[in-house]
Amino acid sequence: MKIALMDSGIGLLAATAAVRRLRPDADLVLSLDPDGMPWGPRTPEDLTGRALAVAKAAAAYRPDALIVGCNTASVHALPALRARLEPGLPVIGTVPAIKPAAAGGGPVAIWATPATTGSAYQRGLIEEFADGVPVTEVPCHGLAEAVEHADQAAIDAAVAAAAALTPEDVTTVVLGCTHYELVADRIRAAVQRPGLPPLVLHGSAGAVAAQALRRLGEQPAPGAVAEGTLTVLLSGREGALPEPALTYQEGQLLQAVTPAG
């Protein structure tokens, strides 16, 4: 089994690590776009073009499924990707985990990029799945970029700024950008209020990995032999994981349990 994941940068690490934990025997193809990142500030048309190119590069390796490991790309490019690649190649998007978060009753904060915060897409998810639940949309200026470059001081500053915008009674935080899952512990520490129950964080990586297996009719096999290979594409060229990826547990996991591709 071969599963491809795509993103402009290392935000796909969380979903990649989730796939690796569920199926250590799966071959993985990671398709990044260092030449075109970040995608967030691009127009939807431009972003879709970049996403199609990255997806095409991954598809050349004949994967069984393609995970779009980026919320922004899923918002803007998923229809075009599916029109181009399905049904031959199943495409799995990444949706903010608003539905399970709202099921807990809230109050809920959704941390997302400024481009996603307030978007019609996110508002639609809130209306559909969080009716009656108090929801605060929190724009996280610079956090994805800081995580991408593993800039520790910038991460701390961006997390602190977003935490200051998060109401004190929030019980649940939705991590609405895949990059944020790489610093979930730091987000928890910044938002957790003394004397309140432990904060609940909802990312998308686990659900996306599980959905990919379901689309393929496969079952989790976490005890399988860790013989799955890893291929990294950088704007279509074979390369290695970017150095900042190795500062995160998810990147270290891939390096530790993956034989040479």
Side-chain angles (χ1 to χ4, degrees):
M1 179 170 56
K2 183 184 292 184
I3 295 178
L5 299 96
M6 58 171 279
D7 187 8
S8 63
I10 64 174
L12 51 63
L13 282 180
T16 305
V19 172
R20 177 59 85 224
R21 291 186 186 102
L22 291 177
R23 290 299 297 259
D25 57 336
D27 293 334
L28 302 178
V29 177
L30 308 190
S31 191
L32 287 68
D33 188 26
D35 293 355
M37 64 172 297
W39 285 352
R42 293 180 176 274
T43 66
E45 296 77 17
D46 192 17
L47 186 155
T48 297
R50 301 297 309 189
L52 284 168
V54 167
K56 182 179 177 181
Y61 287 74
R62 305 185 65 82
D64 301 300
L66 172 66
I67 293 172
V68 183
C70 171
N71 293 90
T72 302
S74 296
V75 169
H76 296 296
L78 198 56
L81 290 168
R82 285 180 166 156
R84 180 73 60 87
L85 299 172
E86 290 188 338
L89 177 60
V91 179
I92 297 92
T94 299
V95 177
I98 295 172
K99 182 177 182 180
V108 174
I110 304 172
W111 283 34
T113 63
T116 300
T117 300
S119 66
Y121 172 78
Q122 183 160 291
R123 289 281 164 83
L125 292 175
I126 293 169
E127 292 174 6
E128 183 175 0
F129 296 120
D131 186 38
V133 176
V135 174
T136 301
E137 296 181 87
V138 178
C140 301
H141 295 275
L143 181 53
E145 292 81 3
V147 172
E148 178 70 30
H149 299 291
D151 184 332
Q152 305 306 320
I155 291 170
D156 287 341
V159 167
L165 299 175
T166 303
E168 292 198 3
D169 62 346
V170 157
T171 62
T172 306
V173 174
V174 175
L175 304 178
C177 170
T178 53
H179 280 81
Y180 303 170
E181 297 189 51
L182 302 178
V183 292
D185 289 347
R186 292 159 81 163
I187 292 172
R188 182 189 302 279
V191 179
Q192 180 67 56
R193 310 300 183 191
L196 292 183
L199 188 73
V200 178
L201 298 184
H202 282 277
S204 302
V208 166
Q211 175 66 6
L213 293 185
R214 282 194 294 271
R215 287 288 299 272
L216 295 176
E218 296 282 352
Q219 297 295 321
V225 177
E227 58 188 9
T229 61
L230 180 69
T231 301
V232 178
L233 303 176
L234 305 174
S235 298
R237 308 175 298 271
E238 284 202 23
L241 279 175
E243 197 65 31
L246 303 180
T247 66
Y248 301 105
Q249 289 182 348
E250 291 83 353
Q252 295 164 13
L253 170 71
L254 293 176
Q255 189 179 53
V257 304
T258 301

